[in-house]
Amino acid sequence: MQGIRDDRPVIIGISGSERAGGNTDLALDYAGALVRERGAVFRTVYLRDHRISPCSPCGDCNNRLSPCALPDDMPAIVEEMKRADGIIYAVPVHGFGLAHLMQIFIERAGVGYLRFDRPLANKVGGIIVTGRRYSDASVHNQLVDNLLLNRMILVGSGFPALLRNTSSEPGLHDTEGLEALERMAHRMIDMTLLLRKHRSATGEPVLPLADRNERVVRQRSASLTHS
């Protein structure tokens, strides 16, 4: 109904898989069902459905003071991420590393848009990695670094949500991986609600937002600089 504001938490799932209906999509659908059961909103962004250009040879990313000028769908995706309370990156392992769609995406998003004031700061982050057997932990670690770089809050869930499937057919057969995914999804919602409760009660974020760009020189404590 128009005119009614929806104040439910919003979680965005970003799929970096080229394969529709594959293991990564199934895992993200599972996470979405858990989020919706908690009364929150879950939306999925399939990178394969968007036009995302790889970084060009312009070479001015570290010097320019404005967002990337390449004409594609990146600005709209970044804006949707800004509006969300939490973001889940879901990606398969390709060639023992991060699938190229997600690699292109985090490069363009980070250097092209997010580095100026870290607008994802204090949003809750989650990671799902699907694979056959090898290198899923390495891919997970790379995405952890990306979430931390963007000042996001990574909620521990015990073991990371690494889902393995050695079958040629897509399926969620990894019981331990699914349990880790479930814990992650619930803890993301719990943290989102806690952050909202704190802001509602105090009018302030739980963590300060003043230090949002690592390129800006920080004011250090006098006792530390002269020790």
Side-chain angles (χ1 to χ4, degrees):
M1 183 180 298
Q2 292 184 349
I4 297 179
R5 181 178 176 181
D6 190 345
D7 285 329
R8 293 179 295 168
V10 176
I11 306 296
I12 299 294
I14 298 180
S15 172
S17 175
E18 286 276 14
R19 186 182 186 186
N23 294 314
T24 302
D25 283 6
L26 293 178
L28 204 51
D29 289 345
Y30 191 80
L34 294 171
V35 169
R36 294 185 183 102
E37 285 181 359
R38 293 290 303 273
V41 175
F42 187 86
R43 302 192 185 105
T44 306
V45 175
Y46 299 101
L47 297 182
R48 61 178 176 268
D49 294 337
H50 293 272
R51 187 166 59 93
I52 301 175
S53 303
C55 287
S56 72
C58 58
D60 65 352
C61 295
N62 288 323
N63 302 313
R64 64 185 298 131
L65 301 176
S66 58
C68 181
L70 288 175
D72 60 10
D73 295 340
M74 279 299 305
I77 298 174
V78 170
E79 286 303 314
E80 189 163 0
M81 295 168 72
K82 290 180 182 180
R83 292 191 292 267
D85 295 279
I87 299 167
I88 298 175
Y89 287 157
V91 63
V93 177
H94 282 180
F96 300 100
L98 189 66
H100 73 284
L101 270 180
M102 185 65 80
Q103 182 67 49
I104 291 171
F105 173 76
I106 63 174
E107 288 177 4
R108 286 289 312 291
V111 179
Y113 299 91
L114 303 178
R115 71 177 177 87
F116 299 102
D117 64 354
R118 298 299 177 198
L120 305 186
N122 289 356
K123 295 185 185 298
V124 183
I127 300 166
I128 299 171
V129 180
T130 62
R132 182 179 181 275
R133 189 183 300 274
Y134 306 109
S135 297
D136 47 8
S138 298
V139 170
H140 186 272
N141 291 341
Q142 180 180 350
L143 291 176
V144 167
D145 288 343
N146 183 267
L147 295 185
L148 296 180
L149 175 64
N150 283 291
R151 312 290 199 270
M152 296 175 70
I153 298 172
L154 187 62
V155 182
S157 58
F159 295 105
L162 309 179
L163 281 74
R164 296 176 175 178
N165 180 14
T166 59
S167 169
S168 60
E169 295 297 322
L172 301 179
H173 310 304
D174 186 344
T175 302
E176 289 186 348
L178 284 176
E179 289 179 352
L181 190 160
E182 291 171 3
R183 292 191 182 96
M184 181 192 74
H186 285 299
R187 287 173 67 82
M188 287 183 69
I189 296 298
D190 291 340
M191 178 57 73
T192 295
L193 295 174
L194 179 62
L195 295 173
R196 283 185 163 214
K197 182 178 180 180
H198 179 89
R199 182 181 287 276
S200 177
T202 67
E204 298 291 337
V206 172
L207 299 174
L209 295 174
D211 182 20
R212 298 179 70 164
N213 191 328
E214 71 282 356
R215 297 177 185 274
V216 176
V217 178
R218 297 170 59 239
Q219 184 66 41
R220 302 183 66 191
S221 170
S223 62
L224 293 176
T225 55
H226 297 292
S227 60

